[in-house]
Amino acid sequence: MTEDDIPLLTEYRNVAHDAQTLTFLPRDTDLQLEAVEDLTEFIQTVNARQQEAIEHRDEDTANLLLAMRCGCKAVRAELNMWLALKKQDWGNAWSELVDAQDFLQSAQAAHAITRTEDIQNLREKYDWIETFVFPPQTYLSPGLVVDQFLCSICGADYQDCDHIAGLPYWGQICSRIIEEATVREVSVVDEPEDKNCRITHFSTDDGMVRSKMTWEKFVPDDDSRLASLTEGGNRFTGIVLQPNGVYSQEEIDTLQQTDT
Ligand SMILES: [Zn+2]
């Protein structure tokens, strides 16, 4: 396939280039919001073309369009991160950065067209943002032991099918879906599976609560879910993943360091 045969390639390069001109903190908010809309519209166009490719039994084009879609979603998440930072919405800004990193990884996995130096530079940019814009985070294990995973492509037990998580099939990245899981103790990990699972607050020796993100220290009020943090000292509140795939803020009594 030559570049001329690749559907939507010129449009993709233009929309991505225009949006990336705006992925900096001082850029105008309204222009950034417009770029988010443009990307969303283009992602829908790519979706439609991908459906056509699947109907024509053209897996390579479907995966190529998946790569474009993931690339657009990464840039959109980065724009949303800068917008959230302007609103001092630190937690969401962090989640958008994690999304941007994940989408970029999927873009690179989906097709060779996005395994370029530009994309590699973007990965490095996101790593720099993680290190120099946000304070260091403490990550948590999901707190689950998964008893069974299902394959997102064929729906079978992941152990029994031939699909491989992280690889593209017909315009979708294969992932493992939690079917059955048991909750266990949450532990601190250095290499997290999911950077959304992190400590958000911790109790200080003087009975106060400190935000891990902003370093603000405050008296836990009775209505707050942080209230019982005052009881024993050295307790934490963190975000963990529930067996149903939903994130929730939980109090954590004991933490153990796990070497991974
Ligand atoms: Zn499968």
Side-chain angles (χ1 to χ4, degrees), residues 151 153-154 161-163:
C151 168
I153 302 293
C154 66
C161 79
D162 293 331
H163 297 116

Short mmCIF file of all heavy atoms in Angstrom, two decimals, residues 151 153-154 161-163, ligand 1:
data_model
loop_
_atom_site.label_atom_id
_atom_site.label_comp_id
_atom_site.label_asym_id
_atom_site.label_seq_id
_atom_site.Cartn_x
_atom_site.Cartn_y
_atom_site.Cartn_z
N CYS A 151 -11.60 -12.54 26.73
CA CYS A 151 -10.95 -11.86 25.61
C CYS A 151 -11.93 -10.83 25.03
O CYS A 151 -13.10 -11.14 24.80
CB CYS A 151 -10.58 -12.90 24.55
SG CYS A 151 -10.08 -12.16 22.99
N ILE A 153 -11.88 -9.56 22.14
CA ILE A 153 -12.12 -9.76 20.70
C ILE A 153 -13.18 -10.84 20.47
O ILE A 153 -14.14 -10.63 19.74
CB ILE A 153 -10.81 -10.15 19.97
CG1 ILE A 153 -9.73 -9.07 20.17
CG2 ILE A 153 -11.06 -10.41 18.48
CD1 ILE A 153 -10.00 -7.73 19.53
N CYS A 154 -12.98 -12.01 21.11
CA CYS A 154 -13.89 -13.13 20.81
C CYS A 154 -14.82 -13.47 21.97
O CYS A 154 -15.75 -14.27 21.79
CB CYS A 154 -13.09 -14.36 20.40
SG CYS A 154 -12.08 -15.04 21.73
N CYS A 161 -8.27 -18.78 24.22
CA CYS A 161 -8.30 -18.30 22.82
C CYS A 161 -6.89 -17.93 22.35
O CYS A 161 -5.94 -17.92 23.13
CB CYS A 161 -9.26 -17.12 22.67
SG CYS A 161 -8.58 -15.55 23.22
N ASP A 162 -6.77 -17.64 21.06
CA ASP A 162 -5.45 -17.39 20.48
C ASP A 162 -5.09 -15.91 20.39
O ASP A 162 -4.02 -15.55 19.90
CB ASP A 162 -5.36 -18.00 19.07
CG ASP A 162 -5.43 -19.52 19.12
OD1 ASP A 162 -4.98 -20.08 20.15
OD2 ASP A 162 -5.92 -20.13 18.15
N HIS A 163 -6.00 -15.03 20.78
CA HIS A 163 -5.71 -13.60 20.70
C HIS A 163 -4.71 -13.19 21.79
O HIS A 163 -4.65 -13.83 22.84
CB HIS A 163 -7.01 -12.80 20.85
CG HIS A 163 -7.98 -13.07 19.73
ND1 HIS A 163 -9.21 -13.65 19.94
CD2 HIS A 163 -7.87 -12.84 18.40
CE1 HIS A 163 -9.83 -13.76 18.76
NE2 HIS A 163 -9.03 -13.29 17.81
ZN ZN B 1 -10.00 -14.17 21.83
#
